[in-house]
């Protein structure tokens, strides 16, 4: 009898030891929660577009996906609880500094950031520019609240944690995990607001994640993270950069108002190749003479590519072009770049390289 008891105890102890060994071998992933739809709730299951964002705390998000324990040792922090349209420069700085602190820790192998989808692409690009680490940093959101039928948040979160836990995700810059795709935080944008396949990169995803495994197809070509000249630990404030939208009947009113409010640079969200209407040119040239940087971008939805000295003589006017960055991403790069330089030629180099 005692022999059977000792045998059972030994088997139980061995099982516990094996479980502890598996847990110890798991990568450690920190989930930083900021709010958004992935933490949202609607009144009914049919509410997929009408709901209140930023309601569910991070501990409940984690508890709602018990499968996370199979891919990583996960812990969560509630950094903010806001809808992402209210993300300010101050939020970017606070989040960036927290990420920078965590990636320096030996007990952190990867980071997942839950985020509202409205400005997720901006935060992803900001972190891609200023975090000096090759550890996986993965942003994730959802297009439907967790209370909706066919909610996408659970799988998106599982995929994000699995991606952040994988060694093959290291060194690829900040990633966005949405709808089974792994996109570069530099390229990806929200292209539609009512479908789960909302996030797309004009140059295609870096890879896919299927049943918790990453499959890679390309690598980012632009400078990022460890190869970036920018460092969040050395940035304590961000200069104001505004965006003014170009259209067929545009006037220079918005541009002048942005400059008057203290904008150090203005992103011209132009048509086509960042085109500037003739009745706006004089106003923009005047603002540039006053020291405001003028950066031509394009509001073409699926990849506006602005060529220097095409449409406008940028060299003559001392303007900058945003390359393939959409207006909101151009704003992020400009506000980071202006922490180091106010020289237009240097700004242009940065736009080519990042």
């Amino acid at each position: 009898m005692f022999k059977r008891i000792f045998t059972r105890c030994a088997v139980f102890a061995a099982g516990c030891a094996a479980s502890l060994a598996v847990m110890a071998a798991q990568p450690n992933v920190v989930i930083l929660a900021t709010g958004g739809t992935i933490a949202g709730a609607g009144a009914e299951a049919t509410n997929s577009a009408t709901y209140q964002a930023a309601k569910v705390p991070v501990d409940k998000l984690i508890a709602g996906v018990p499968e996370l324990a199979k891919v990583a040792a996960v812990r969560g922090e509630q950094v903010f609880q806001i809808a992402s349209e209210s993300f300010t420069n101050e939020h970017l700085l606070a989040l960036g500094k927290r990420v920078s602190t965590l990636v320096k820790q030996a007990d952190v192998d990867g980071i997942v950031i839950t985020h509202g989808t409205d400005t997720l692409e901006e935060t992803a690009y900001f972190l891609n520019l200023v975090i000096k680490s090759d550890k996986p940093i993965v942003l994730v959101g959802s297009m439907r609240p967790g209370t909706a039928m066919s909610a996408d948040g659970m799988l998106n979160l599982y995929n994000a944690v699995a991606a952040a836990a994988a060694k093959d995700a290291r060194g690829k810059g900040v990633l966005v995990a949405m709808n089974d795709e792994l996109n570069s935080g530099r390229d990806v944008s929200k292209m539609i607001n009512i479908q789960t396949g909302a996030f797309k990169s004009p140059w295609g995803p870096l890879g896919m994640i299927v049943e918790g495994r990453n499959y890679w197809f390309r690598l980012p070509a632009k400078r990022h993270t460890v190869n970036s000249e920018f460092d969040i630990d050395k940035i304590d404030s961000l200069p104001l950069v505004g965006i003014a939208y170009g259209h067929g009947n545009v006037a220079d009113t918005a541009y002048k108002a942005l400059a008057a409010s203290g904008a150090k640079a203005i992103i011209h969200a132009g048509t086509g190749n960042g085109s500037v209407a003739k009745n706006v040119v004089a106003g923009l040239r005047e603002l540039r003479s006053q020291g405001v940087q003028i950066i031509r971008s394009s509001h073409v939805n699926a990849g506006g590519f602005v060529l220097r000295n095409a449409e406008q003589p940028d060299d003559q006017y001392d303007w900058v072009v945003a390359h393939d960055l959409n207006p909101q991403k151009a704003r992020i790069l400009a506000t980071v770049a202006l922490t180091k330089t106010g020289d237009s030629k240097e700004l242009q180099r940065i736009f080519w390289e990042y």
Side-chain angles (χ1 to χ4, degrees):
M1 177 179 176
F2 287 112
K3 185 176 181 180
R4 284 200 301 270
I5 292 173
F6 283 129
T7 301
R8 288 174 182 172
C9 288
V11 170
F12 177 77
C16 288
S19 297
L20 289 172
V22 170
M23 291 176 64
Q26 280 188 314
N28 297 302
V29 173
V30 179
I31 298 178
L32 300 179
T34 69
T37 299
I38 196 169
E44 300 179 7
T46 54
N47 292 140
S48 62
T50 305
Y51 55 87
Q52 188 171 356
K55 296 291 289 182
V56 182
V58 65
D59 57 338
K60 289 189 176 181
L61 285 179
I62 294 172
V65 192
E67 294 80 5
L68 294 177
K70 298 178 182 179
V71 294
V74 175
R75 68 179 191 267
E77 294 182 17
Q78 193 74 49
V79 185
F80 312 119
Q81 187 66 296
I82 59 175
S84 72
E85 67 269 19
S86 298
F87 235 79
T88 64
N89 284 353
E90 287 69 31
H91 289 110
L92 288 175
L93 288 169
L95 178 62
K97 289 183 181 296
R98 184 58 186 143
V99 171
S100 181
T101 296
L102 286 169
V103 294
K104 293 182 177 71
Q105 296 179 193
D107 64 345
V108 175
D109 298 299
I111 292 176
V112 168
I113 300 167
T114 64
H115 201 290
T117 58
D118 280 357
T119 58
L120 184 150
E121 65 190 85
E122 298 176 45
T123 299
Y125 188 38
F126 176 77
L127 297 175
N128 198 56
L129 293 169
V130 301
I131 300 298
K132 309 292 283 186
S133 175
D134 69 347
K135 291 182 180 180
I137 300 166
V138 184
L139 275 80
V140 63
S142 70
M143 296 306 298
R144 296 170 180 162
T147 52
M149 290 187 287
S150 297
D152 54 329
M154 285 180 63
L155 181 56
N156 284 349
L157 182 58
Y158 174 80
N159 284 344
V161 171
K167 291 182 179 179
D168 61 23
R170 293 180 74 111
K172 293 180 173 63
V174 174
L175 303 170
V176 173
M178 294 280 290
N179 203 42
D180 301 329
E181 289 187 344
L182 293 168
N183 279 283
S184 167
R186 191 259 181 201
D187 298 340
V188 76
S189 287
K190 185 177 181 179
M191 304 300 289
I192 190 170
N193 65 336
I194 55 171
Q195 294 179 350
T196 55
F199 280 75
K200 297 293 180 184
S201 295
W203 320 125
L206 299 184
M208 300 283 294
I209 181 163
V210 182
E211 296 184 351
R213 181 178 175 184
N214 300 334
Y215 295 86
W216 303 100
F217 305 118
R218 70 179 182 94
L219 296 174
K222 300 295 185 177
R223 292 175 64 179
H224 61 78
T225 55
V226 292
N227 295 317
S228 175
E229 64 200 84
F230 308 108
D231 185 347
I232 188 63
D233 294 340
K234 299 176 181 177
I235 301 174
D236 294 319
S237 64
L238 294 169
L240 180 63
V241 176
I243 302 174
Y245 204 87
H247 54 87
N249 195 47
V250 65
D252 59 11
T253 307
Y255 303 89
K256 291 179 177 179
L258 287 168
S261 70
K264 302 302 181 185
I266 297 173
I267 310 299
H268 168 70
T271 54
N273 182 26
S275 305
V276 183
K278 62 181 181 181
N279 54 317
V280 176
V281 171
L284 295 190
R285 293 189 69 184
E286 174 62 23
L287 291 177
R288 181 68 196 102
S289 72
Q290 296 170 8
V292 179
Q293 297 288 345
I294 304 299
I295 302 171
R296 292 197 301 119
S297 180
S298 172
H299 62 63
V300 172
N301 289 331
F305 198 103
V306 181
L307 296 174
R308 188 167 179 82
N309 295 315
E311 301 290 344
Q312 293 295 328
D314 297 298
D315 289 347
Q316 179 184 340
Y317 295 166
D318 197 27
W319 292 350
V320 175
V321 299
H323 194 19
D324 64 321
L325 295 176
N326 64 26
Q328 57 269 31
K329 286 183 183 285
R331 182 191 75 86
I332 292 294
L333 181 54
T335 197
V336 171
L338 285 169
T339 64
K340 292 200 72 171
T341 183
D343 180 77
S344 61
K345 291 182 175 58
E346 268 295 281
L347 288 175
Q348 187 62 78
R349 174 192 64 79
I350 289 168
F351 270 90
W352 291 139
E353 294 182 9
Y354 293 87

